[in-house]
Amino acid sequence: MEYDFLIVGAGLFGAVFAERATAAGKRVLVIDKRSHIAGNVYTEPVAGINVHRYGPHIFHTHMDEVWEYVHRFARFNDFVYRPLASYHGEMYSLPFNMHTFEQMWGVTTAEEAAARIAQQRGAAPAEPQNLEEQAISLVGTEIYEKLIKGYTEKQWGRPCTELPSFIIKRLPVRLEYNDNYFNDPHQGIPMGGYTAMVQRMLEGIEVRLGQDYLADRAAWDALAPRVVYTGPIDAFFGYRLGTLEYRSLRFETEVLEQPDFQGRAAVNYTDRETPWTRIIEHKHFEFGTQPKTVVTREFSKEWQRGDEPYYPVNDARNAALYAQYRELADAEPRHLFGGRLAEYRYYDMDDVIHLALEAAAREFNRG
Ligand code: FAD
Ligand code: UDP
């Protein structure tokens, strides 16, 4: 066969695996059905600004080995994500920290903030069963109503009482004046954009774009004994057990003839009435000083076949269906399934890189 590995998907999982395989002396072909590399972390220049085409991407990790690995392909700036919340035009600090509590209640000490939350939490159940109960237990009813409920119901298209509590636990709650959105020790944006970083990972590796593996699987499988698949797992099996649910997104991007629009990389619109979930102003990721600015409004919608799948819907029905597909996948000896779509998990970039490095280590250190 012509190659040792066919890698389906030029996103982070595919690119990292391809880089490691090539370093191990393997012959690799990477294909992607899109017209570009980098998957969802793709950035493209517009008016001299790197635009995050598939939503804002901030690199953050607690894994030193992942941080060291990405530094082989890019330099990172010292960007720290500090989005704001706009609720009917009132501006609040995110994540939930002393700035937020001061803006919401006029309190200035941790003790006062904790007392407010405790008072509003009231008799919330000790073991929250859904996102609403979890949110009220963490920050009380008022912050839940103003900063969480509207945003979450727009984002997920489901009532907060029907969503799992873990989703809201992604966000820190701090009784400190610290508005860093993440707790990880490492954070930044690759200078020059994510596409350039992935390009360097794929240096010297054959990549064919605009190629759908599932459209002609037999022909692609004939090229290599081992196939790494990073697309949706249900699509791989022809949806034979049913369709996994996703949330999809729609982006409206415009170039504005002004140097600044909102003074921040991201403003979340947390009221129910504003139709978009957030506005991204891309230049702030790289501290841009261009004369123009590029902004993107992000709208969330239910995924239908043909849309880009963005967020897996991690409820019980989908988890059970995924488990069945996983059994089918485990019975495919030639194929390795990896990444956000093939594993149906809402992984961050560092998780995906870590998993690809581990998969490669297992693959190349064996026997
Ligand atoms: P993907 O990037 O989706 O790559 C899979 C590739 O496979 C795609 O390019 C696709 O075209 C290709 N493919 C699929 N099927 C086929 C086929 N049949 N034939 C050929 N090619 C195929 N993570 C963070 O760490 N920080 C963030 O701030 C952050 N923000 C995010 C914001 C949004 C809106 C979203 C949706 C995600 C965000 N993430 C963030 C998560 C991050 O995008 C993912 O962890 C990462 O991009 C996943 O990489 P992947 O390789 O698994 O998948
Ligand atoms: N969330 C919210 N208000 C906000 C931001 C986030 O209620 O202003 C909730 C929402 O339910 C979201 C979850 O917190 O899905 C996790 O937020 P995160 O920013 O991690 O979302 P992601 O990066 O996955 O889009």
Side-chain angles (χ1 to χ4, degrees):
M1 284 181 170
E2 220 173 312
Y3 303 96
D4 299 308
F5 285 88
L6 170 71
I7 297 178
V8 181
L12 279 177
F13 193 97
V16 169
F17 193 94
E19 188 278 325
R20 290 288 76 208
T22 306
K26 306 295 176 190
R27 296 161 306 160
V28 172
L29 171 64
V30 178
I31 63 170
D32 201 297
K33 65 180 180 184
R34 293 179 180 174
S35 61
H36 58 75
I37 60 164
N40 280 355
V41 307
Y42 177 66
T43 48
E44 63 185 341
V46 177
I49 295 162
N50 286 313
V51 167
H52 296 208
R53 163 99 81 85
Y54 302 95
H57 279 77
I58 302 93
F59 200 95
H60 56 97
T61 189
H62 62 278
M63 292 179 272
D64 293 340
E65 67 283 10
V66 170
W67 190 235
E68 281 157 25
Y69 178 76
V70 291
H71 275 78
R72 293 170 45 191
F73 310 98
R75 291 173 62 214
F76 281 71
N77 68 20
D78 60 359
F79 178 85
V80 173
Y81 195 42
R82 305 179 197 279
L84 295 172
S86 167
Y87 175 76
H88 293 303
E90 294 167 20
M91 303 304 281
Y92 293 98
S93 173
L94 287 175
F96 314 116
N97 74 98
M98 279 307 298
H99 292 291
T100 328
F101 306 138
E102 203 249 286
Q103 291 152 349
M104 191 71 67
W105 300 316
V107 299
T108 53
T109 66
E111 206 176 3
E112 290 170 295
R116 272 298 171 130
I117 293 171
Q119 177 201 345
Q120 297 196 359
R121 183 189 298 134
E127 296 235 332
Q129 296 304 310
N130 57 50
L131 196 152
E132 178 172 292
E133 290 178 7
Q134 179 68 74
I136 292 173
S137 152
L138 286 170
V139 290
T141 46
E142 198 170 356
I143 289 181
Y144 167 66
E145 294 288 343
K146 289 187 169 174
L147 304 186
I148 297 177
K149 189 170 192 284
Y151 185 93
T152 299
E153 295 192 351
K154 286 192 285 189
Q155 166 76 2
W156 294 99
R158 287 154 177 78
C160 288
T161 46
E162 286 173 25
L163 287 164
S165 54
F166 81 85
I167 294 179
I168 198 65
K169 284 163 86 185
R170 284 173 60 90
L171 305 193
V173 178
R174 298 193 192 104
L175 295 173
E176 288 171 25
Y177 285 98
N178 173 1
D179 61 354
N180 183 343
Y181 201 66
F182 302 111
N183 283 327
D184 288 330
H186 309 299
Q187 185 174 169
I189 302 287
M191 292 182 201
Y194 287 91
T195 307
M197 178 178 88
V198 175
Q199 185 74 57
R200 267 176 229 119
M201 290 175 175
L202 292 171
E203 214 160 82
I205 297 174
E206 186 179 347
V207 180
R208 296 191 208 163
L209 297 171
Q211 307 294 331
D212 184 348
Y213 169 74
L214 297 176
D216 198 356
R217 196 145 138 187
W220 291 115
D221 280 348
L223 296 180
R226 193 101 167 100
V227 178
V228 176
Y229 177 82
T230 72
I233 191 165
D234 52 351
F236 182 93
F237 292 106
Y239 303 101
R240 76 172 81 142
L241 304 175
T243 307
L244 289 165
E245 290 176 294
Y246 293 92
R247 289 297 287 175
S248 193
L249 300 172
R250 183 168 63 80
F251 300 103
E252 279 180 13
T253 297
E254 55 180 331
V255 180
L256 302 177
E257 305 290 325
Q258 62 196 65
D260 203 293
F261 173 70
Q262 62 187 18
R264 273 288 157 106
V267 176
N268 292 358
Y269 285 77
T270 58
D271 55 74
R272 197 72 188 81
E273 289 68 31
T274 307
W276 51 84
T277 48
R278 53 187 173 183
I279 301 183
I280 304 309
E281 186 168 10
H282 301 269
K283 71 192 312 177
H284 295 303
F285 288 119
E286 295 185 66
F287 315 118
T289 53
Q290 298 85 346
K292 298 183 185 181
T293 193
V294 184
V295 297
T296 301
R297 284 179 174 70
E298 191 172 311
F299 301 82
S300 180
K301 64 194 198 84
E302 200 65 18
W303 175 86
Q304 292 171 337
R305 264 193 224 181
D307 294 338
E308 285 293 342
Y310 286 101
Y311 294 92
V313 177
N314 291 109
D315 59 14
R317 176 201 167 264
N318 286 294
L321 184 55
Y322 169 70
Q324 287 178 284
Y325 276 121
R326 187 74 236 171
E327 272 184 35
L328 293 182
D330 290 341
E332 295 276 332
R334 282 182 66 186
H335 291 79
L336 192 159
F337 294 80
R340 177 183 70 93
L341 298 167
E343 297 182 54
Y344 195 66
R345 284 282 298 276
Y346 185 47
Y347 288 138
D348 281 328
M349 292 181 275
D350 62 329
D351 300 318
V352 166
I353 292 170
H354 170 71
L355 290 163
L357 289 173
E358 282 206 322
R362 275 197 305 277
E363 193 79 20
F364 306 123
N365 297 340
R366 69 180 182 185

